[in-house]
Amino acid sequence: MFHACSLANIIMINFGGMKKYLSLFLFILLAVAANAKIVPAKLFQDGMVLQRGKTIKVWGTASPRESFVVSIGKNNVGVVADENGRWHALLPKMKAGGPYILYIGDVEIKDVLVGDVWLCSGQSNMDVMVSRVYPQYTTDIDNYSNDKIRLFRAEQRSYVDNAIHDVTTLGWRKANKKDAWNFSALGYYLARKMFERTHVPQGIICNSWGGTPIEAWVSRDSLQSDYPLLCNRTALYSHEYVEAQRKANNIVTESWNKALDKGDKGLLEHWASCEYNDAAWAEHNQFSRSWSTFKGQPVVGAVWVRQHIKVDAAHAGKEALLNLGTLYDMDYAYVNGKQVGVTYYQYPPRRYNVPAGLLHEGDNVVAIRFITKQGAPSFTHGKKYQLEFTDGSTIKLNETWKSNIGCMMPPLRTMDVSTQNLPYVLYNSMLLPLAPYSVAGVVWYQGESNAGNPDDYLPMLRKLKGSWRALWNDAAMPFAIVQLANFMEPSEKPQYSGWAGVREAQRLSTVEDNRSELAVALDLGEWNDIHPLRKREVAERVALSLRRMVYGDKVELSPQVVSAKREGDKVVLLFDQPLQQCEAVGEMELAGGDGKYLNVAAAVSGKQVVVTIPENFSPSSVRYAWKNNPSRANIRGAKSNLPASSFQMKLQ
């Protein structure tokens, strides 16, 4: 039944427009009489944020040919579902404000705000949750709560056969520690920065999926002309094949796990317990390969490591956090024989709670059961391995562990049916259901999965932006592109880098498109972690990009090279803004006619970087920070203090 409050919003005493209101009143009576089930799309839930200054688009399902009214505030529109029961409503633009009630027939959606909405998408670095970055920003996250920031997570789904018409979600959540805990850290901090700038409600829609390539997010129509083989590959994954293969994978995985557990001497002999005598075990440094190999080959299966730690009276019985960095691949962690944590894959930081009463004065045992299905287990260099107590004190673990092989297994062989990685699948499954919900702009943080073939990334990024803008019918839809952060071991020598190739594609994409801006993160990565934790700083740079594009703010972004010219025995690089003075620029390289690069000296002068050409050398191109981890990159904006983007250019 049509809600009385909605009726009151529409039937107003206005004799000058009596004919208009009488017609609408008759429409309402028809809607009340039909009284069918009306189901809005799942984006439309209590606590939602609607985009200010743009037409409000509402849609969903109902009985075929069902008629009803959609209204919010003083705005209303009559709707008739089509023969398939689908309907769309367009409401006029609104200014920021609220809360409102959105009436959709007899459905009431409460606590609706109007402000700015941002669509955040990509792969795992967009996925990284507030919970993972929490140790970086503990007090900041603990003390922040804002009812005017709302967070919406589209759950991950990937269907090959058909486009999906709606999302799966837990609904809109508010920006407090509890509700934001499992939400994108970048999205959470972006909302906070944009609220600081605008003081209007902020909505973040996050639809991302770790490990996915860019082509999964591009429409089939856009890919078909240039990448027909990719599209045909997806067509091979019928629903029947995928389900059959997943069932087969589950069967072989279950058999592998049962055989492992049955044969693991560590489980049978209780190697995690304090009482177990490990005197005969060999000792190894955790970063050596000796403990994780057998006759020179990686141990697949279960390997156990143990170490004894001394706990003094002041820490005995106290609650603690066992920090084990990151481990490859799966692990069970034990303290004094009690399991304190388990992680099923390599990337999450291991931060395991040790309950009060478990640690005792004197000798204690920390044990880890490593499980790998394809290769040797390992610790990660440069991470913290220690017990951390609530008073801030720590007991560091030793790098020396005793180790023993629990069970050796053959590698687990399964057929990959990760349909989320197939071309256009996520466009159909996760993007289409969100359109045409009005948004202020898009944040795209992806590229790690395409570093193996960087030459295709620029055309793919063009297709992605084009297909998304077409889907939203908004040719000027703003895109903030997060450039890949530094990662892997630094190198002093020039190197081929697929990561640098993707960064260059991201840079060029923003150079050619005045509705795109680049958020450079070259200095925010971690050499030993593909998921760096400084997401607040990344969000701050994304916010600057959006402020420039969406609000027209005169803000400085990262310096961008404009031109590269040879002038006598120098190469002069011109940038778009003044740079910080620097007499010794790092990571600058020149190439000759053979295309081979060498390190060269360079210095900053105002907006220019002047590169010295070595004697008897004829350069053809120049590049900067062209490495996986350009650790010596030091060109920064004079005002912004932001790092310059990496680049590669032919000389004029």
Side-chain angles (χ1 to χ4, degrees), residues 120-138 140-141 153 180-194 196 204 206 208 210 347-349 351 383 443-448 482-487 499 519-544 546 642:
C120 295
S121 193
Q123 59 179 110
S124 53
N125 270 302
M126 183 63 82
D127 262 346
V128 167
M129 299 177 187
V130 170
S131 58
R132 189 180 292 192
V133 307
Y134 177 68
Q136 292 281 120
Y137 315 110
T138 303
D140 182 45
I141 293 171
R153 170 72 201 189
W181 192 245
N182 292 321
F183 194 77
S184 162
L186 192 153
Y188 164 80
Y189 272 113
L190 174 63
R192 288 178 54 170
K193 294 304 296 183
M194 300 310 280
E196 287 177 14
I204 301 290
C206 182
S208 52
Y347 294 118
R351 297 195 293 261
K383 297 291 185 179
V443 182
W444 178 249
Y445 193 173
Q446 190 277 338
E448 298 90 341
V482 182
Q483 195 180 50
L484 294 187
N486 50 308
F487 176 53
W499 279 60
V520 177
L522 270 180
D523 59 336
L524 299 178
E526 300 174 30
W527 73 268
N528 58 1
D529 200 332
I530 199 171
H531 303 118
L533 299 182
R534 295 175 64 189
K535 293 296 187 277
R536 180 176 66 184
E537 290 82 352
V538 177
E540 289 168 351
R541 296 178 188 182
V542 172
L544 288 173
L546 294 172
L642 293 176

Side-chain angles (χ1 to χ4, degrees), residues 100-112:
Y100 297 97
I101 297 176
L102 174 63
Y103 296 99
I104 304 174
D106 59 355
V107 178
E108 289 187 9
I109 298 174
K110 301 175 183 178
D111 191 24
V112 177

